[in-house]
Amino acid sequence: MTTVTPVLLTVDEVKVLLKVGRTKVYDLIRTHRLVSIKVDGCRRIPADSVAEFIRGQIERGT
């Protein structure tokens, strides 16, 4: 059995992954630290963008 990883995540899914609040996720989007798109008015964040953000934070040591 294979598991499919979602390509686009909701704000709530990103919130859980990063263990931050909803407002913080929107702040990261607003400051262009997370890439996002709108799909019919719904905000979606590519999973790659979240992984890249985490890698960047690790590299900076923050």
Side-chain angles (χ1 to χ4, degrees):
M1 179 177 187
T2 58
T3 305
V4 176
T5 303
V7 176
L8 295 175
L9 303 169
T10 66
V11 169
D12 286 337
E13 289 170 329
V14 173
K15 175 181 84 165
V16 170
L17 287 172
L18 296 180
K19 295 181 177 33
V20 297
R22 189 171 187 265
T23 302
K24 183 62 177 179
V25 175
Y26 279 109
D27 183 55
L28 293 171
I29 292 168
R30 183 182 53 77
T31 58
H32 305 287
R33 294 169 68 195
L34 276 179
V35 174
S36 73
I37 62 170
K38 275 196 168 183
V39 178
D40 289 335
C42 298
R43 186 65 60 185
R44 296 293 180 257
I45 300 98
D48 290 346
S49 177
V50 176
E52 185 177 316
F53 171 76
I54 293 169
R55 275 191 301 276
Q57 293 300 107
I58 291 170
E59 288 171 4
R60 287 182 202 72
T62 58

